[in-house]
Amino acid sequence: MSNLTGTPTRSSVGGRRADYSTAAGGFPVRLHVQSLLRKTPSSLKSPEKIMKHDEMGIVSAPERKLVKQLRASNTRFSAADSTLAVNGKNKKLTDDWESKKLDLVAGGRLLQDGLVYRQNISVRSFEIGGDRKMSFGALLNHLQDTALNQGIITGLLVDGFGSTREMSRNNLIWVVSTLHVVVDRYPTWTEVVEVDTWMYASGKNGLGRDWIFRDSKTGETLANATSVYVMMNRETRKLSKIAKEMRDELEPYVMDCERPIINKDGRKIQKLDVSAADQRCTGLSPGWKDMDINQHVSNVKYIDWILESVPHSLMERYDLNAMTLEYKKECDMDSVLQSLSKRVSEGSTDSFSASKVVEFDHLLRLENGREILRGRTVWKLRDTNNRVNSYIY
Amino acid sequence: MSNLTGTPTRSSVGGRRADYSTAAGGFPVRLHVQSLLRKTPSSLKSPEKIMKHDEMGIVSAPERKLVKQLRASNTRFSAADSTLAVNGKNKKLTDDWESKKLDLVAGGRLLQDGLVYRQNISVRSFEIGGDRKMSFGALLNHLQDTALNQGIITGLLVDGFGSTREMSRNNLIWVVSTLHVVVDRYPTWTEVVEVDTWMYASGKNGLGRDWIFRDSKTGETLANATSVYVMMNRETRKLSKIAKEMRDELEPYVMDCERPIINKDGRKIQKLDVSAADQRCTGLSPGWKDMDINQHVSNVKYIDWILESVPHSLMERYDLNAMTLEYKKECDMDSVLQSLSKRVSEGSTDSFSASKVVEFDHLLRLENGREILRGRTVWKLRDTNNRVNSYIY
């Protein structure tokens, strides 16, 4: 399925090289965390005016900031009416700032002063694999979708490219730099999953977004994900610094948290030595449906290609437990790629039976050798007893 | 996304050849329509007992039949509790046969004495193409999904392969023979679509399933679809006649309608003359994620392959308005295919501008020449004025 994210590319800002991939689903900025979080809102209006809306239908950042301060931290907050999210129209925000939970058709609502977006998703028949469980690709689709829905429900997202108003005026889009996903248990067909997502400042050069997937009945954590985004000019494909207007725009939506939900894997992903690769798929080309809105290859397609290079004998008995991706360069409709993988945990790719955990390093590259993406996957031996039950319901 | 349907194959019953594709999403039977619809239910229980459930949690077919007769035709009917569909557990049917509308998480409910299944779907970001509209493949996913959901909510579907209890005991699965889809307008991102689906007897050799996709606000018809299914033995891959037990099982769920929602295109799809093909994609191979539960290529993948052979210059300015498919033979993980297409409407594939409607014939075949699928697509010139608006919301 085509989607809005994708478009890994490489460009430079101030002489530095940075790695990233476009993503309509993220709302991160290249900003200075401390200055952002400690900034005193200026030109605040009277409390009455806080409940009003500007002519474009969005409460200004300083107003939102004040509302955040005024509200008790445990008060639920609804910043959009159902028309807003259902129609995708950028209509006025609702006057109801109280704890009224407005479950939209998509099932989304805001929590914790509007900083956390929560949505229930039901695992559909077209999202599952042969084992009746949600596929990894389907899970990634929901990372993007819930991020975009938060942007719609809050009114932060104002164009179809996932940009804020100021970003759109400056022709800027979001790009993914890294993505890290850990799946403890894949939900099964018809299971209902509760997804929480929020944004936070991440270092000097970007902003992060985290997700938690939970069993909606038991609260059991099913999966966590962390992504770091930066901003890019849509035309020049160069990274961009964040102007004050954008900082102000984003500030009310940024969580004050110190670190992502998934701790960084300390081990750097080395560039895979091509001659040492265990597995290799060549001649990979995107189809027209793999293109995103900018006519670049979508994020999810990259993951398909990575998984194609993993031995089928592994997939039959192991579940994908974790994936770390570092985007290096974009590719387009005419690109022809190779997907290489190498087992980095002990043992050979022919004998997995002795190992409970198997790790691979991955490389997607153009046929001319240029690096597109580096990745690492961790696979865990499947509990076959559980699996049998999932076939009968 | 992997899914449960797919698996086109060819087998024989009583010396006849029949064309089909496996589909967990359909509940059709090879039966004699008139005998089925006129049959008098036998061994009916008292009205009190009708509200009880058998030990397997399914009200027997004659009981359901009687309930149908007893209820006024305009009474809304709810045959499942939310636990049933949410968990996919085959639990007891609810005692509440009244007009209580039980919207499940998936948004589904039964109407018209339980014969019609209705579900609202919200178009998600991962279901749209570059034009912000639901892709054709996503629409097909929902054909399968709503069909399966009807099976779950009614309790007719008892195993993960989409079979009824009797079918499962006899190792039988559903296979798609033909599929016909007409799309008047593709819904856009975040739009809510109301889907109705029902089953009916179709000729001597199968049963049909129809779908209507409507704008949930205006009631405008967005798309119609019709599919014909037959039954196949999972092991021998041969078509199977329907035993009385299965007929009884299915009867309460079969609509008494004379013809499908889409009138058959009278023009037979000719086998495409390979040497005359305008467009050709070769070396097409399914990936592991294109496999269904039976390790056969999924239906949706076939459609991807067909669309890959349509000129990109056409897709940029035309919308896919209709598709007719006739499944001929199954293929599997090791198959290597060719996708061929030929413009059958006037004009050449290089100059579409003069035509408001363009038609193609399609052929998917193995490299050894064996036919997998025949198809026809109809494309309509896009209204570019409408398109511009859909980019801003």
Side-chain angles (χ1 to χ4, degrees), chain B residues 10 17 271 328-330 337-338 363-373:
Chain B
R10 164 174 276 172
R17 300 291 284 178
K271 184 172 179 182
K328 301 292 179 184
K329 195 191 172 305
E330 66 189 335
L337 290 94
Q338 299 177 335
L363 173 65
L364 278 184
R365 59 174 209 159
L366 296 179
E367 294 214 322
N368 66 14
R370 189 153 190 187
E371 206 174 4
I372 298 290
L373 184 149

Coordinates of all heavy atoms in Angstrom, one line a residue, chain B residues 10 17 271 328-330 337-338 363-373:
Chain B
R10 N -6.9 -24.4 -10.8 CA -7.9 -25.0 -11.6 C -8.0 -26.5 -11.3 O -7.1 -27.1 -11.1 CB -7.5 -24.8 -13.1 CG -8.3 -25.7 -14.0 CD -8.0 -25.5 -15.5 NE -8.8 -24.4 -16.0 CZ -8.6 -23.8 -17.2 NH1 -7.7 -24.2 -17.9 NH2 -9.4 -22.9 -17.6
R17 N -14.2 -28.5 -16.2 CA -13.2 -27.6 -15.7 C -13.8 -26.4 -15.1 O -14.8 -25.9 -15.6 CB -12.3 -27.2 -16.8 CG -11.6 -28.3 -17.6 CD -10.6 -29.0 -16.8 NE -9.3 -28.3 -16.7 CZ -8.3 -28.7 -16.0 NH1 -8.3 -29.8 -15.3 NH2 -7.2 -28.0 -16.0
K271 N -8.8 -14.6 -24.5 CA -7.4 -14.9 -24.1 C -6.5 -13.9 -24.9 O -6.6 -13.8 -26.1 CB -7.0 -16.3 -24.4 CG -5.6 -16.6 -23.9 CD -5.2 -18.0 -23.9 CE -3.8 -18.2 -23.4 NZ -3.3 -19.6 -23.5
K328 N -7.9 -18.5 -13.3 CA -7.7 -19.7 -14.1 C -6.9 -20.8 -13.4 O -7.2 -22.0 -13.5 CB -7.0 -19.3 -15.4 CG -7.8 -18.3 -16.3 CD -9.0 -18.9 -16.8 CE -9.8 -17.8 -17.6 NZ -11.1 -18.4 -18.1
K329 N -5.8 -20.4 -12.7 CA -4.9 -21.4 -12.1 C -4.2 -20.7 -11.0 O -3.9 -19.5 -11.0 CB -4.0 -21.9 -13.2 CG -3.2 -23.1 -12.8 CD -2.1 -23.5 -13.7 CE -1.3 -24.6 -13.2 NZ -0.8 -24.4 -11.8
E330 N -3.8 -21.6 -10.0 CA -3.1 -21.0 -8.9 C -1.6 -20.9 -9.2 O -1.1 -21.5 -10.1 CB -3.3 -21.9 -7.6 CG -2.7 -23.3 -7.8 CD -3.1 -24.2 -6.6 OE1 -3.4 -23.6 -5.5 OE2 -3.1 -25.4 -6.8
L337 N 6.2 -15.1 -13.2 CA 5.0 -14.7 -14.0 C 5.3 -13.6 -15.0 O 6.3 -12.8 -14.8 CB 3.8 -14.3 -13.2 CG 3.2 -15.4 -12.4 CD1 3.8 -15.5 -11.0 CD2 1.7 -15.1 -12.3
Q338 N 4.5 -13.5 -16.0 CA 4.4 -12.3 -16.9 C 3.1 -11.7 -16.8 O 2.1 -12.3 -16.7 CB 4.7 -12.8 -18.3 CG 6.0 -13.5 -18.5 CD 6.2 -14.1 -20.0 OE1 5.2 -14.3 -20.6 NE2 7.4 -14.2 -20.4
L363 N -3.6 -10.3 -19.1 CA -3.3 -11.7 -18.9 C -2.1 -11.9 -18.0 O -1.1 -11.2 -18.2 CB -2.9 -12.3 -20.3 CG -2.4 -13.8 -20.3 CD1 -3.5 -14.7 -19.8 CD2 -1.9 -14.2 -21.7
L364 N -2.3 -12.7 -17.0 CA -1.2 -13.1 -16.1 C -0.9 -14.5 -16.5 O -1.8 -15.4 -16.5 CB -1.5 -13.0 -14.6 CG -1.5 -11.7 -13.9 CD1 -1.8 -12.0 -12.4 CD2 -0.1 -11.1 -14.1
R365 N 0.3 -14.8 -16.8 CA 0.7 -16.2 -17.2 C 2.0 -16.6 -16.6 O 2.9 -15.7 -16.3 CB 0.6 -16.4 -18.7 CG 1.6 -15.5 -19.5 CD 1.6 -15.9 -20.9 NE 2.9 -15.6 -21.6 CZ 3.3 -16.2 -22.7 NH1 2.6 -17.0 -23.3 NH2 4.5 -15.8 -23.2
L366 N 2.2 -17.9 -16.5 CA 3.5 -18.4 -16.1 C 4.5 -18.2 -17.2 O 4.0 -18.1 -18.4 CB 3.4 -19.8 -15.6 CG 2.6 -20.2 -14.4 CD1 2.6 -21.7 -14.1 CD2 3.2 -19.4 -13.2
E367 N 5.7 -18.3 -17.0 CA 6.7 -18.1 -18.1 C 6.6 -19.2 -19.1 O 7.0 -19.1 -20.2 CB 8.1 -18.0 -17.5 CG 8.3 -16.7 -16.7 CD 9.7 -16.1 -16.8 OE1 10.6 -16.9 -16.8 OE2 9.8 -14.9 -16.8
N368 N 6.1 -20.4 -18.7 CA 5.9 -21.5 -19.6 C 4.6 -21.3 -20.4 O 4.3 -22.2 -21.2 CB 5.9 -22.8 -18.9 CG 4.7 -23.0 -18.0 OD1 3.7 -22.2 -18.0 ND2 4.7 -24.0 -17.1
G369 N 3.9 -20.2 -20.2 CA 2.8 -19.9 -21.1 C 1.4 -20.2 -20.4 O 0.4 -19.8 -20.9
R370 N 1.4 -20.9 -19.3 CA 0.2 -21.3 -18.7 C -0.6 -20.1 -18.1 O 0.0 -19.3 -17.4 CB 0.5 -22.4 -17.6 CG -0.8 -23.0 -17.1 CD -0.5 -24.4 -16.5 NE -1.8 -25.0 -16.3 CZ -1.9 -26.2 -15.7 NH1 -0.8 -26.8 -15.3 NH2 -3.0 -26.7 -15.4
E371 N -1.9 -20.1 -18.4 CA -2.7 -19.0 -18.0 C -3.0 -19.0 -16.5 O -3.5 -20.0 -16.0 CB -4.0 -19.0 -18.9 CG -4.7 -17.7 -19.1 CD -5.8 -17.8 -20.0 OE1 -6.2 -19.0 -20.4 OE2 -6.5 -16.8 -20.3
I372 N -2.9 -17.9 -15.9 CA -3.2 -17.8 -14.4 C -4.5 -17.0 -14.2 O -5.3 -17.3 -13.4 CB -2.0 -17.1 -13.7 CG1 -0.7 -17.9 -13.8 CG2 -2.4 -16.8 -12.2 CD1 -0.8 -19.2 -13.0
L373 N -4.6 -15.9 -15.0 CA -5.7 -15.0 -14.8 C -6.0 -14.2 -16.0 O -5.1 -13.8 -16.7 CB -5.3 -14.1 -13.6 CG -6.3 -13.1 -13.1 CD1 -6.1 -12.9 -11.6 CD2 -6.2 -11.7 -13.8

